[in-house]
Amino acid sequence: MTNFGPTGELIYKRTYARTMPNGNKEDWEDTVKRVVEGNLNLVDSRYIDPGEREALIRMMLDFKIIPAGRHLWMSGIPGRQHLFNCHVSGWDEEDITKHFTFTLLRLAEGGGVGANYSNERLQNYSSLVNSHEVHIVCDPGHPDYEEMKANGVLSETYDSSWPGSVEVEDTREGWADALADLINAYYRATRNRNRVFDVSRVRWKGARLKSSGGHASGPEPLGIMLQEVSKILNSRVGSYLTGLDAMAIDHAIAKCVIAGGNRRSARMSIMHWEDPEIFSFISSKVDPEMHWSTNISVEIDDDFWAAVDDEDTHATDVLYEIVNGMLANGEPGFWNSSLSNVGEPNPIEATNPCGEIPLESWENCNLGHVNMAAFVEKEGFFYEEEVYKAHKLITRFLIRATYGDVNDSYQREVLDKNRRIGVGHLGVASMAAMGGEPYSALPETKFPRTLKRLQNAVNDEAARYAHQLRIPAPVKTTTVAPTGTVAKMPGVSEGIHPIFSKYFIRRIRFSMIDPDEFNAAMEYAEAGYTVEPCQYAANTLVVEIPTKDSLMEEVERRFGAEEAEKIVEGAGDLTLRDMMSVQAMYQDNWANNAVSYTANIDTNEITQADVTSLMKLYRRSLKGLTIFPNKSRPQSPYEEITKEEYDAHHVHDISDGIDENCASGACPVK
């Protein structure tokens, strides 16, 4: 019997259970076998150790190792295996459309995309020559024709029978070609200022997508995206596209991808602290209606801290606005590119959307996790032999995954060269509490030494297996990801985060297009839970569930109620310094990539000067950080409440406080 956490089976079935050839949905054992077989088949059988298949299956069934969600969804399916969570979209020297089509394609494949929008990346492109008007046409027989016409998307000038239109193919590549055609039109002199796109071939809204899963969005989001991109480009005719313009185009692309209702486009936007648009960038998400598809982080470096030490006005003002934004709405975070480039063979461009993997242009990340809470035995003993075995197995799993399919030649080149993997941890706060240690005490225990030994084990196994396969050893190997969705399956704490709170409102998002998800949301409504439309994503419902964290009950069972009150620490019980200390411990002893960490704080108990002081204190360890004030955004995935507020609801639940999304709601990817 699978030992799911409180909501683990629901999350698993909603997110990772595929439909099998006989029409039935997979159970967890089916999924594990599919994923393991798909992974092992990526290399010749002589590179599989005796017993490796059985050990992988056993540890995955027990949730001791959990590959990232991308592997759970795509590994072992017929045809091509796209196994990579997230990507960084670069800037091709000759072709500006490469950035945007790469972004669209990777988002549409279900991945997340990070990008650096610093203006120095765009300064070599020519200025925009002509303005254009986009016209969308569609065959009147198309099922979505009347809805698009009623919504004002279709052209009143052109008809679908006009032979001069660009016919959009019903593929991701077809959509990307249409986007490239539009952008290219702005960079060449033309007499015809009308760009007409025929979307008649695009599948209707709600049509089932057999290969990728889910349901089609129909052609309307594509038409809207092309019109929005045209509006942005028209505003720059006669001048150059700026970093913020490019960021706005990528937001339009993300909204188009999200409109299908079964994907949540995940993005990371980065801009250098010296950029002329940096202050507009920092405030770009003050309006919650703008840029909600992306996290934003300011790129800082050694020069930044040197300038701060010298009391440089610009650097000091940037630092002030970073902290001010963190305390106001949780953004921006910061990303230290100097620390991230240590040990890299080539310059790093940006990070993935959650920030745990700094990447070169066009590179992808490849993640898998060890559930540290699964190795705590009843008496609180940490079973080290088994945990070492788990680390070696997931290392080998991820190295094999570097043979997975990619559709982009630029990406294939950098993947073959770097072979970067990210072995991560989840359940660390659960591990500490179940072992009788308060979360804040971890840096003072023997745990940092254990982390260093585990890192060495991963590096040794990676080098050994890469040599056996005759491929380059991974440039970097270890990380900590947020792990929101996968941590929900065993019901342990996410990544290295503390639990959010002992009592909280939990919000789950469901697609209105997918019949299974819609029916699940309606079941919650009938049970008395609040269900309302999502304020940010079309075709999405939000369910509110008052919840008590299940870790309290587990620790009470082990140590008694009185001791549990002392041992279990939620984010509200911790200082910002406590949390940054744990992150720095992990960065120094474990992650040679980076650590994704969001510190939830009460802004009534901390000042701007406090946060600034701590950023300076940990500047030689932390490659990035996000601070998120509670209740900063309507319909946040989690909202802390008191015990009295929890008791006042007539329906509630005992569950984990694991955040499926990153704090801004811009993640995860499937």
Side-chain angles (χ1 to χ4, degrees), residues 75-86:
S75 183
I77 65 170
R80 295 164 65 84
Q81 297 189 57
H82 297 104
L83 305 172
F84 305 109
N85 300 65
C86 295

Side-chain angles (χ1 to χ4, degrees), residues 145-164:
Y145 177 85
E146 292 298 336
E147 184 175 346
M148 286 194 292
K149 183 178 179 181
N151 291 337
V153 177
L154 296 181
S155 173
E156 296 181 351
T157 306
Y158 289 88
D159 184 84
S160 62
S161 61
W162 187 63

Side-chain angles (χ1 to χ4, degrees), residues 289-308:
E289 298 297 319
M290 300 294 292
H291 294 293
W292 46 260
S293 68
T294 186
N295 298 323
I296 61 172
S297 281
V298 175
E299 178 186 353
I300 61 175
D301 50 24
D302 290 344
D303 291 342
F304 172 79
W305 287 118
V308 169

